[in-house]
Amino acid sequence: MPSAPLPPPRDLATPYRVCLVCLGNFCRSPMAEVVLRDDLAKAGLDGAVVVDSVGTGDWHVGGPMSAGSQAALARRGHDGSAHRARQLKPSWLAQRDLLLAMDKANLATLRRLARPEDAMRIRLFTEVAGGDGDIPDPYGGGAADFDHVLDLLSAATPVIVERLGRLLDPPGAGR
Ligand code: 4NP
């Protein structure tokens, strides 16, 4: 089934806000944030889109992303050292243009917390890139598990960047 259009910007005067969401904001969503931000910068969209990430749980709040995530990112030339974990506040659901859940459990959590009018802004990360699978949780796993997560994220982000580019700079918009 073709993926639904991306939700429109809430405010055309400010950058489009994308939030990546996982359970701990410790492994997957921080990696996705770094990869998406780097790919947006490569596409010249870093001023047009702002990316952040959160967890639905509170275990790692204030701390860095997992060592496994940082190492996997570093092996591919990304820098994950600046991350500090945060737990989702339900009010943030009304402040982002698009929330991308790493798996279907987090998708369900977000949908439960959201106002009805924000439900269309909550999507599964892989679905927006044309798939339908979960990004598996590598927590407690080895380097191969983190590399696999990065493979899945890095395959999806170019599609997401391309879709964001088309959403924010449609043909004929004159920007
Ligand atoms: P994440 O992985 O959702 O990809 O950040 C997890 C990190 C921590 C825990 C679970 C999953 N935890 O239970 O602490």
Coordinates of all heavy atoms in Angstrom, one line a residue, residues 54-129:
V54 N 13.1 11.5 21.3 CA 12.7 11.3 22.7 C 12.4 9.8 22.9 O 12.2 9.1 21.9 CB 11.4 12.1 23.1 CG1 11.6 13.6 23.1 CG2 10.2 11.7 22.2
G55 N 12.4 9.5 24.2 CA 11.9 8.1 24.5 C 10.6 8.2 25.2 O 10.3 9.2 25.8
T56 N 9.8 7.1 25.2 CA 8.6 7.1 26.0 C 8.9 6.7 27.4 O 8.1 7.0 28.3 CB 7.6 6.1 25.3 OG1 8.2 4.8 25.2 CG2 7.1 6.6 24.0
G57 N 10.0 6.1 27.7 CA 10.4 5.7 29.1 C 11.5 6.7 29.6 O 12.1 7.5 28.9
D58 N 11.7 6.6 30.9 CA 12.6 7.6 31.6 C 13.9 7.1 32.1 O 14.7 7.8 32.7 CB 11.8 8.2 32.8 CG 11.5 7.2 33.9 OD1 11.9 6.0 33.7 OD2 11.0 7.6 34.9
W59 N 14.3 5.8 31.8 CA 15.5 5.2 32.4 C 16.8 6.0 32.2 O 17.6 6.0 33.0 CB 15.7 3.8 31.9 CG 14.5 2.9 32.0 CD1 14.1 2.3 33.1 CD2 13.5 2.6 31.0 NE1 12.9 1.6 32.9 CE2 12.6 1.7 31.6 CE3 13.4 2.9 29.6 CZ2 11.5 1.2 30.9 CZ3 12.3 2.4 28.9 CH2 11.4 1.6 29.5
H60 N 16.9 6.6 31.0 CA 18.2 7.1 30.6 C 18.2 8.7 30.5 O 19.2 9.2 30.0 CB 18.6 6.5 29.3 CG 18.8 5.1 29.4 ND1 19.9 4.4 29.9 CD2 17.9 4.1 29.0 CE1 19.7 3.1 29.9 NE2 18.5 2.9 29.4
V61 N 17.2 9.3 31.1 CA 17.0 10.8 30.9 C 18.3 11.5 31.4 O 18.8 11.2 32.5 CB 15.8 11.3 31.7 CG1 15.8 12.8 31.8 CG2 14.5 10.8 31.0
G62 N 18.8 12.4 30.6 CA 20.0 13.2 30.9 C 21.3 12.6 30.5 O 22.3 13.2 30.6
G63 N 21.3 11.3 30.2 CA 22.5 10.6 29.8 C 22.8 10.5 28.3 O 21.9 10.9 27.5
P64 N 24.0 10.1 28.0 CA 24.3 10.0 26.6 C 23.6 8.8 25.9 O 23.0 8.0 26.6 CB 25.8 9.7 26.6 CG 26.1 9.0 27.9 CD 25.0 9.6 28.9
M65 N 23.7 8.7 24.6 CA 23.2 7.5 23.9 C 24.1 6.3 24.2 O 25.2 6.5 24.7 CB 23.0 7.7 22.4 CG 24.2 7.7 21.6 SD 23.9 7.7 19.8 CE 23.6 9.5 19.5
S66 N 23.6 5.1 24.0 CA 24.4 3.9 24.4 C 25.7 3.9 23.7 O 25.9 4.4 22.6 CB 23.6 2.7 24.0 OG 23.5 2.6 22.6
A67 N 26.7 3.2 24.3 CA 28.0 3.1 23.7 C 27.9 2.4 22.4 O 28.7 2.7 21.5 CB 28.9 2.4 24.7
G68 N 27.1 1.4 22.3 CA 26.9 0.6 21.1 C 26.4 1.5 19.9 O 26.9 1.4 18.8
S69 N 25.5 2.4 20.3 CA 25.0 3.3 19.2 C 26.0 4.3 18.8 O 26.2 4.6 17.6 CB 23.8 4.1 19.8 OG 22.7 3.3 20.1
Q70 N 26.8 4.9 19.8 CA 27.8 5.8 19.4 C 28.9 5.2 18.6 O 29.4 5.8 17.6 CB 28.5 6.4 20.7 CG 27.5 7.3 21.4 CD 28.3 8.2 22.4 OE1 29.3 8.9 22.1 NE2 27.9 8.2 23.7
A71 N 29.3 3.9 18.9 CA 30.3 3.2 18.2 C 29.9 2.9 16.8 O 30.6 3.1 15.8 CB 30.7 2.0 18.9
A72 N 28.6 2.5 16.6 CA 28.1 2.2 15.3 C 28.1 3.4 14.4 O 28.5 3.4 13.2 CB 26.7 1.5 15.4
L73 N 27.6 4.5 15.0 CA 27.6 5.8 14.3 C 29.0 6.2 13.9 O 29.3 6.6 12.7 CB 27.0 6.9 15.1 CG 25.5 6.8 15.3 CD1 25.0 7.9 16.4 CD2 24.7 7.1 14.0
A74 N 30.0 6.1 14.8 CA 31.3 6.5 14.5 C 32.0 5.7 13.4 O 32.7 6.2 12.6 CB 32.2 6.4 15.8
R75 N 31.6 4.4 13.3 CA 32.1 3.5 12.3 C 31.7 4.0 10.9 O 32.3 3.7 9.9 CB 31.7 2.0 12.5 CG 32.4 1.3 13.5 CD 32.1 -0.2 13.5 NE 30.8 -0.6 14.0 CZ 30.5 -0.8 15.3 NH1 31.4 -0.6 16.2 NH2 29.3 -1.1 15.6
R76 N 30.6 4.8 10.8 CA 30.1 5.3 9.5 C 30.3 6.8 9.4 O 29.6 7.4 8.6 CB 28.6 4.9 9.3 CG 28.4 3.5 9.6 CD 27.9 2.8 8.3 NE 27.6 1.4 8.7 CZ 26.4 0.8 8.6 NH1 25.4 1.5 8.2 NH2 26.2 -0.5 8.9
G77 N 31.1 7.3 10.3 CA 31.4 8.8 10.1 C 30.5 9.7 10.7 O 30.5 10.9 10.4
H78 N 29.5 9.2 11.6 CA 28.6 10.1 12.3 C 29.1 10.3 13.7 O 29.8 9.5 14.3 CB 27.2 9.5 12.3 CG 26.6 9.2 11.0 ND1 26.0 10.1 10.2 CD2 26.4 8.0 10.4 CE1 25.5 9.5 9.1 NE2 25.7 8.3 9.2
D79 N 28.7 11.4 14.3 CA 29.0 11.8 15.7 C 27.8 11.8 16.6 O 27.0 12.7 16.4 CB 29.8 13.1 15.7 CG 30.1 13.6 17.1 OD1 30.0 12.8 18.0 OD2 30.6 14.7 17.2
G80 N 27.7 10.9 17.5 CA 26.6 10.8 18.4 C 26.9 11.3 19.8 O 26.1 11.1 20.7
S81 N 28.0 12.0 20.0 CA 28.5 12.3 21.3 C 27.6 13.4 22.0 O 27.7 13.6 23.2 CB 29.9 12.8 21.3 OG 30.1 13.9 20.5
A82 N 26.9 14.3 21.3 CA 26.2 15.4 21.9 C 24.9 15.0 22.5 O 24.3 15.8 23.2 CB 26.0 16.5 20.8
H83 N 24.4 13.8 22.2 CA 23.0 13.5 22.6 C 22.9 13.4 24.1 O 23.7 12.8 24.8 CB 22.7 12.1 22.0 CG 21.3 11.6 22.4 ND1 20.2 12.1 21.9 CD2 21.0 10.6 23.3 CE1 19.1 11.5 22.5 NE2 19.6 10.6 23.4
R84 N 21.7 13.9 24.6 CA 21.3 13.6 26.0 C 19.9 13.2 26.0 O 19.0 13.9 25.4 CB 21.5 14.9 26.9 CG 22.9 15.3 27.1 CD 23.7 14.3 27.8 NE 25.2 14.6 27.9 CZ 26.1 14.2 27.1 NH1 25.8 13.4 26.1 NH2 27.4 14.5 27.2
A85 N 19.6 12.1 26.6 CA 18.3 11.4 26.5 C 17.2 12.3 27.2 O 17.4 12.9 28.3 CB 18.3 10.0 27.1
R86 N 16.0 12.2 26.6 CA 14.8 12.9 27.2 C 13.6 12.0 27.1 O 13.5 11.1 26.2 CB 14.5 14.2 26.3 CG 15.7 15.2 26.3 CD 15.3 16.4 25.4 NE 14.9 15.9 24.1 CZ 14.2 16.7 23.2 NH1 13.9 17.9 23.5 NH2 13.9 16.2 22.0
Q87 N 12.7 12.2 28.0 CA 11.4 11.5 28.0 C 10.3 12.4 27.4 O 10.3 13.6 27.7 CB 11.0 11.0 29.4 CG 9.8 10.2 29.4 CD 9.3 9.8 30.8 OE1 9.6 10.5 31.8 NE2 8.5 8.7 30.9
L88 N 9.5 11.8 26.6 CA 8.4 12.5 25.9 C 7.5 13.2 26.9 O 7.1 12.5 27.9 CB 7.6 11.5 25.1 CG 6.4 12.1 24.4 CD1 6.8 12.9 23.2 CD2 5.4 10.9 24.0
K89 N 7.2 14.4 26.7 CA 6.1 15.1 27.4 C 4.9 15.1 26.4 O 5.1 15.5 25.2 CB 6.5 16.5 27.8 CG 7.6 16.6 28.8 CD 7.8 18.1 29.2 CE 8.7 18.3 30.3 NZ 10.1 17.7 30.1
P90 N 3.7 14.7 26.8 CA 2.6 14.7 25.9 C 2.4 16.0 25.2 O 1.9 16.0 24.0 CB 1.4 14.3 26.8 CG 2.0 13.5 27.9 CD 3.4 14.1 28.1
S91 N 2.7 17.1 25.8 CA 2.5 18.4 25.2 C 3.3 18.6 23.9 O 2.9 19.3 23.0 CB 2.8 19.6 26.1 OG 4.2 19.5 26.5
W92 N 4.4 17.8 23.8 CA 5.3 17.9 22.6 C 4.6 17.3 21.4 O 5.0 17.7 20.2 CB 6.6 17.2 22.8 CG 7.5 17.7 23.9 CD1 7.2 18.9 24.6 CD2 8.7 17.2 24.4 NE1 8.2 19.1 25.5 CE2 9.1 18.0 25.4 CE3 9.4 16.0 24.2 CZ2 10.3 17.8 26.2 CZ3 10.5 15.8 24.9 CH2 11.0 16.6 25.9
L93 N 3.6 16.5 21.6 CA 2.9 15.9 20.5 C 2.1 17.0 19.6 O 1.9 16.8 18.5 CB 1.9 14.8 20.9 CG 2.5 13.6 21.6 CD1 1.4 12.8 22.3 CD2 3.2 12.8 20.5
A94 N 1.8 18.1 20.3 CA 1.2 19.2 19.6 C 2.1 20.2 19.0 O 1.7 21.2 18.4 CB 0.2 19.8 20.6
Q95 N 3.4 19.9 19.2 CA 4.4 20.9 18.8 C 5.4 20.4 17.7 O 6.3 21.1 17.3 CB 5.3 21.3 20.0 CG 4.5 22.0 21.1 CD 5.3 22.0 22.4 OE1 6.4 21.4 22.5 NE2 4.8 22.7 23.4
R96 N 5.1 19.2 17.3 CA 6.0 18.6 16.2 C 5.1 18.5 15.0 O 3.9 18.2 15.1 CB 6.5 17.2 16.6 CG 7.4 17.2 17.8 CD 8.6 18.1 17.7 NE 9.6 17.9 18.8 CZ 9.5 18.6 20.0 NH1 8.4 19.4 20.2 NH2 10.4 18.4 20.9
D97 N 5.7 18.6 13.8 CA 4.9 18.4 12.5 C 4.8 16.9 12.2 O 3.8 16.5 11.6 CB 5.6 19.1 11.4 CG 5.6 20.6 11.6 OD1 4.5 21.2 11.5 OD2 6.7 21.2 11.9
L98 N 5.8 16.1 12.6 CA 5.8 14.7 12.3 C 6.6 14.0 13.4 O 7.7 14.3 13.7 CB 6.6 14.5 10.9 CG 6.8 13.1 10.4 CD1 5.5 12.4 10.1 CD2 7.7 13.1 9.1
L99 N 5.9 12.9 13.9 CA 6.6 12.1 14.9 C 6.7 10.7 14.3 O 5.8 10.1 13.8 CB 5.8 12.0 16.2 CG 5.7 13.3 16.9 CD1 4.3 13.9 16.9 CD2 6.2 13.2 18.4
L100 N 8.0 10.2 14.3 CA 8.2 8.9 13.7 C 8.7 7.9 14.8 O 9.7 8.0 15.4 CB 9.3 9.0 12.6 CG 9.0 9.9 11.5 CD1 10.2 10.1 10.5 CD2 7.8 9.4 10.7
A101 N 7.8 6.8 14.9 CA 8.1 5.8 16.0 C 9.0 4.7 15.4 O 8.8 4.3 14.2 CB 6.8 5.2 16.4
M102 N 9.9 4.3 16.2 CA 10.9 3.2 15.8 C 10.2 1.8 15.7 O 10.7 1.0 14.9 CB 12.1 3.1 16.7 CG 13.0 4.4 16.7 SD 13.8 4.5 15.1 CE 13.1 6.0 14.5
D103 N 9.1 1.6 16.4 CA 8.4 0.3 16.3 C 7.0 0.5 16.7 O 6.5 1.6 17.1 CB 9.1 -0.7 17.2 CG 9.1 -0.4 18.7 OD1 8.1 0.3 19.2 OD2 10.0 -0.8 19.4
K104 N 6.2 -0.6 16.5 CA 4.8 -0.5 16.6 C 4.3 -0.3 18.0 O 3.3 0.3 18.3 CB 4.1 -1.7 15.9 CG 4.4 -1.7 14.4 CD 3.8 -2.9 13.7 CE 4.2 -2.9 12.3 NZ 5.4 -3.7 12.0
A105 N 5.1 -0.7 19.0 CA 4.8 -0.5 20.4 C 4.8 1.0 20.7 O 3.9 1.5 21.4 CB 5.7 -1.3 21.3
N106 N 5.9 1.6 20.3 CA 6.0 3.1 20.5 C 5.0 3.9 19.7 O 4.5 4.9 20.2 CB 7.4 3.6 20.2 CG 8.4 3.0 21.2 OD1 9.4 2.4 20.8 ND2 8.2 3.3 22.5
L107 N 4.7 3.4 18.5 CA 3.6 4.0 17.7 C 2.3 4.0 18.5 O 1.6 5.0 18.6 CB 3.4 3.2 16.4 CG 2.5 3.8 15.4 CD1 3.0 5.1 14.8 CD2 2.2 2.7 14.3
A108 N 2.0 2.8 19.1 CA 0.7 2.7 19.9 C 0.7 3.6 21.1 O -0.3 4.3 21.4 CB 0.5 1.3 20.3
T109 N 1.9 3.7 21.8 CA 2.0 4.6 22.9 C 1.7 6.1 22.5 O 1.0 6.8 23.2 CB 3.4 4.6 23.5 OG1 3.7 3.2 23.9 CG2 3.5 5.5 24.8
L110 N 2.3 6.5 21.4 CA 2.2 7.9 20.9 C 0.7 8.1 20.6 O 0.1 9.2 20.9 CB 3.0 8.2 19.7 CG 4.5 8.2 20.0 CD1 5.3 8.3 18.6 CD2 4.9 9.3 20.9
R111 N 0.1 7.2 19.9 CA -1.3 7.4 19.5 C -2.2 7.5 20.7 O -3.2 8.2 20.7 CB -1.7 6.2 18.6 CG -1.1 6.3 17.2 CD -1.8 5.5 16.2 NE -1.2 5.8 14.8 CZ -1.0 4.9 13.9 NH1 -1.2 3.7 14.1 NH2 -0.5 5.3 12.7
R112 N -1.9 6.7 21.7 CA -2.7 6.8 22.9 C -2.6 8.1 23.6 O -3.6 8.6 24.2 CB -2.2 5.7 23.9 CG -3.2 5.2 24.9 CD -2.8 4.0 25.7 NE -1.6 4.3 26.5 CZ -0.4 3.6 26.3 NH1 -0.3 2.7 25.4 NH2 0.7 3.9 27.0
L113 N -1.5 8.8 23.6 CA -1.2 10.0 24.2 C -1.7 11.2 23.4 O -1.9 12.3 24.0 CB 0.3 10.2 24.5 CG 0.9 9.2 25.5 CD1 2.4 9.4 25.6 CD2 0.3 9.5 26.9
A114 N -1.9 11.0 22.1 CA -2.1 12.2 21.2 C -3.6 12.7 21.2 O -4.5 11.9 21.4 CB -1.7 11.8 19.8
R115 N -3.7 14.0 21.0 CA -5.0 14.5 20.7 C -5.5 14.0 19.3 O -4.6 13.8 18.5 CB -5.0 16.1 20.6 CG -4.4 16.8 21.8 CD -4.4 18.3 21.6 NE -3.6 18.6 20.4 CZ -3.5 19.9 19.9 NH1 -4.1 20.9 20.5 NH2 -2.8 20.1 18.8
P116 N -6.8 13.8 19.1 CA -7.3 13.3 17.8 C -6.7 14.1 16.7 O -6.3 13.5 15.6 CB -8.8 13.4 17.9 CG -9.1 13.4 19.4 CD -7.9 14.1 20.1
E117 N -6.6 15.4 16.8 CA -6.2 16.2 15.6 C -4.7 16.0 15.3 O -4.2 16.4 14.3 CB -6.5 17.7 15.8 CG -5.9 18.3 17.1 CD -6.8 18.3 18.3 OE1 -7.4 17.3 18.5 OE2 -6.8 19.4 19.0
D118 N -3.9 15.4 16.2 CA -2.5 15.2 16.0 C -2.2 13.8 15.5 O -1.0 13.5 15.2 CB -1.7 15.5 17.2 CG -1.7 17.0 17.6 OD1 -1.8 17.8 16.7 OD2 -1.7 17.3 18.8
A119 N -3.2 12.9 15.5 CA -3.0 11.5 15.2 C -2.3 11.3 13.8 O -1.5 10.4 13.6 CB -4.3 10.7 15.2
M120 N -2.7 12.1 12.8 CA -2.1 12.0 11.5 C -0.7 12.4 11.4 O 0.0 12.1 10.4 CB -3.0 12.7 10.4 CG -3.4 14.1 10.8 SD -2.2 15.4 10.5 CE -2.5 15.8 8.8
R121 N -0.1 13.0 12.4 CA 1.3 13.3 12.4 C 2.2 12.2 13.1 O 3.4 12.4 13.1 CB 1.5 14.7 13.2 CG 0.7 15.8 12.6 CD 1.0 17.1 13.2 NE 0.2 18.2 12.6 CZ 0.6 18.8 11.5 NH1 1.7 18.5 10.9 NH2 -0.2 19.7 10.9
I122 N 1.6 11.2 13.5 CA 2.3 10.1 14.2 C 2.4 8.9 13.2 O 1.3 8.3 12.9 CB 1.6 9.7 15.5 CG1 1.6 10.9 16.4 CG2 2.2 8.5 16.1 CD1 0.7 10.7 17.6
R123 N 3.6 8.5 12.8 CA 3.7 7.5 11.8 C 4.9 6.5 12.2 O 5.7 6.9 13.0 CB 4.1 8.1 10.5 CG 3.1 9.2 10.0 CD 2.0 8.7 9.3 NE 2.4 8.2 8.0 CZ 2.4 8.9 6.8 NH1 2.0 10.2 6.9 NH2 2.8 8.4 5.7
L124 N 4.9 5.3 11.6 CA 6.0 4.4 11.8 C 7.1 4.8 10.9 O 6.9 5.1 9.7 CB 5.5 3.0 11.5 CG 6.4 1.8 11.8 CD1 6.6 1.7 13.3 CD2 5.9 0.5 11.2
F125 N 8.3 4.9 11.5 CA 9.5 5.4 10.7 C 9.6 4.7 9.4 O 9.8 5.3 8.3 CB 10.7 5.2 11.6 CG 12.0 5.6 11.0 CD1 12.5 6.9 11.0 CD2 12.8 4.6 10.3 CE1 13.7 7.3 10.5 CE2 14.1 5.0 9.8 CZ 14.5 6.3 9.9
T126 N 9.6 3.3 9.4 CA 9.8 2.6 8.1 C 8.7 2.7 7.2 O 8.9 2.7 5.9 CB 10.0 1.1 8.4 OG1 8.9 0.6 9.2 CG2 11.3 0.8 9.2
E127 N 7.5 3.0 7.7 CA 6.3 3.1 6.8 C 6.4 4.3 5.9 O 6.1 4.3 4.7 CB 5.0 3.2 7.6 CG 3.7 3.4 6.9 CD 3.4 4.9 6.9 OE1 3.5 5.5 7.9 OE2 2.9 5.4 5.8
V128 N 7.0 5.4 6.5 CA 7.2 6.6 5.7 C 8.2 6.4 4.5 O 8.1 7.1 3.5 CB 7.6 7.8 6.6 CG1 8.1 9.0 5.8 CG2 6.5 8.2 7.5
A129 N 9.1 5.4 4.7 CA 10.1 5.1 3.7 C 9.6 4.0 2.8 O 10.4 3.4 2.1 CB 11.4 4.8 4.4

